[in-house]
Amino acid sequence: MPRKPLIVFPVKAPVKDRAFDLCAAIVDSLAAANESLQDGDVLAVSSKYAAIAEGRVVSMNEVRVSAEAEAIAERYMMNPTMVELVLQEADHVFGGIIHDFRGTKVGFLLTHKDGIISPNAGLDRSNIPNGQVVLFPADPYGLAAEIRREMRDRLGVNVGVILTDSWLMPGRLGTTGVALATAGFDPVQDERGKIDLFGNPMQVTQRGIADTICASVQMVMGETAEATPIAIARNTGVQLTDRALSVDDVAIPWELCIYVGSLTAGLLEDHPLRAHITGGNRIIRWPATGD
């Protein structure tokens, strides 16, 4: 039976900068946009919007900066307060780099946080008043499951839920969508053992369904002043489940990541970027631009 075309509906929502009732805002925004959820839809919610709803906003002038953060900030030409927040929030910090954007040098730290390898542990200073930083939601998977339950209770629909974020793909210019958390459907579809067009068995392929849906909804949600933190993805083909999901359903240990693993412990012995560990095992550093 032919698949129906994928449809994505953008849903605008009120701009927020402090804690609020997220599920009420979703329901009200759907009504204001004259959109309704259907069984089988995937509801995508900006992880930043969700984090603001939880009050996960930090005023930078209230952060006490450590000596370690000061030293790293000087090395990578970063704001010391941002570095301190990264050290507090990240599950692991690999190192950093300095970019020259049109004559302005900007530093970033590469981190592992909530199963995602991204700059600065997902900290975000955009679309929030100056001097404030938005952190990731405290429990992304728990929050996604809560939103799903609330949509079922309030609207009587059985949907999947994604908390969306944007990230940089290694070696590529530009951001794309990534699922910070999922509820109601398996985020990864295992293709191993299936047969391709020429009868060859698939050996390693596993499709990132949640991340792929995120990439599609990012097209309508935007990144700047769109005020569209909600989207509905319809006809995705996902099979809904009540199974409890966690980061273990989609993430792998960073040591097994082909990018990070190859650029740290997996470097060739004579490679000029041969990794080395300094200052204990918390931060793995390699030469960065500007050093």
Side-chain angles (χ1 to χ4, degrees), residues 135-176:
L135 313 178
F136 273 170
D139 177 11
Y141 281 85
L143 179 57
E146 178 185 347
I147 294 171
R148 183 171 186 251
R149 286 192 300 270
E150 288 291 323
M151 293 304 104
R152 179 181 287 172
D153 292 344
R154 298 185 188 210
L155 301 177
V157 291
N158 187 19
V159 299
V161 173
I162 295 176
L163 293 184
T164 72
D165 198 15
S166 56
W167 77 310
L168 295 168
M169 293 182 64
R172 302 288 289 184
L173 184 64
T175 61
T176 186

Side-chain angles (χ1 to χ4, degrees), residues 7-287:
I7 305 174
V8 179
F9 303 92
V11 179
K12 288 186 175 294
V15 175
K16 304 286 188 179
D17 62 5
R18 64 197 65 188
F20 63 97
D21 187 331
L22 175 61
C23 291
I26 293 171
V27 171
D28 291 345
S29 297
L30 289 170
N34 198 29
E35 298 288 356
S36 59
L37 289 170
Q38 298 180 8
D39 287 341
D41 285 349
V42 174
L43 174 66
V45 181
S46 161
S47 62
K48 179 191 292 186
Y49 200 64
I52 294 172
E54 290 186 326
R56 296 275 289 166
V57 180
V58 175
S59 294
M60 296 182 68
N61 60 9
E62 298 178 357
V63 177
R64 182 177 179 179
V65 179
S66 65
E68 181 184 19
E70 291 278 7
I72 295 172
E74 182 178 1
R75 174 173 180 151
Y76 296 115
M77 301 183 68
M78 295 179 65
N79 182 309
T81 303
M82 279 293 291
V83 174
E84 179 61 36
L85 287 172
V86 170
L87 293 180
Q88 292 178 13
E89 289 295 309
D91 298 326
H92 193 90
V93 181
F94 299 101
I97 193 169
I98 302 170
H99 277 295
D100 191 328
F101 291 108
R102 299 178 179 177
T104 300
K105 295 186 182 299
V106 181
F108 300 91
L109 294 175
L110 183 66
T111 63
H112 188 259
K113 168 71 173 174
D114 290 337
I116 297 175
I117 294 173
S118 64
N120 295 347
L123 301 181
D124 202 328
R125 297 170 65 183
S126 63
N127 290 313
I128 197 72
N130 189 37
Q132 297 184 322
V133 180
V134 182
L135 313 178
F136 273 170
D139 177 11
Y141 281 85
L143 179 57
E146 178 185 347
I147 294 171
R148 183 171 186 251
R149 286 192 300 270
E150 288 291 323
M151 293 304 104
R152 179 181 287 172
D153 292 344
R154 298 185 188 210
L155 301 177
V157 291
N158 187 19
V159 299
V161 173
I162 295 176
L163 293 184
T164 72
D165 198 15
S166 56
W167 77 310
L168 295 168
M169 293 182 64
R172 302 288 289 184
L173 184 64
T175 61
T176 186
V178 64
L180 179 60
T182 309
F185 68 97
D186 289 326
V188 177
Q189 181 175 310
D190 195 345
E191 304 286 0
R192 292 173 297 180
K194 296 182 180 179
I195 304 301
D196 69 11
L197 292 172
F198 294 91
N200 302 304
M202 305 297 289
Q203 295 182 337
V204 297
T205 301
Q206 299 183 71
R207 297 178 63 201
I209 300 298
D211 291 338
T212 302
I213 294 173
C214 278
S216 67
V217 301
Q218 288 291 98
M219 293 293 292
V220 302
M221 294 173 78
E223 293 280 3
T224 54
E226 292 85 356
T228 309
I230 303 166
I232 303 168
R234 184 162 295 158
N235 302 331
T236 62
V238 301
Q239 299 297 311
L240 297 182
T241 176
D242 291 329
R243 183 173 70 86
L245 301 174
S246 73
V247 67
D248 294 333
D249 289 292
V250 66
I252 59 174
W254 63 259
E255 296 92 342
L256 300 180
C257 171
I258 189 170
Y259 299 107
V260 175
S262 297
L263 289 172
T264 53
L267 278 174
L268 298 175
E269 291 293 334
D270 58 350
H271 197 287
L273 292 180
R274 180 71 182 170
H276 61 282
I277 299 176
T278 61
N281 60 9
R282 184 177 187 189
I283 300 178
I284 299 177
R285 305 188 182 96
W286 53 87

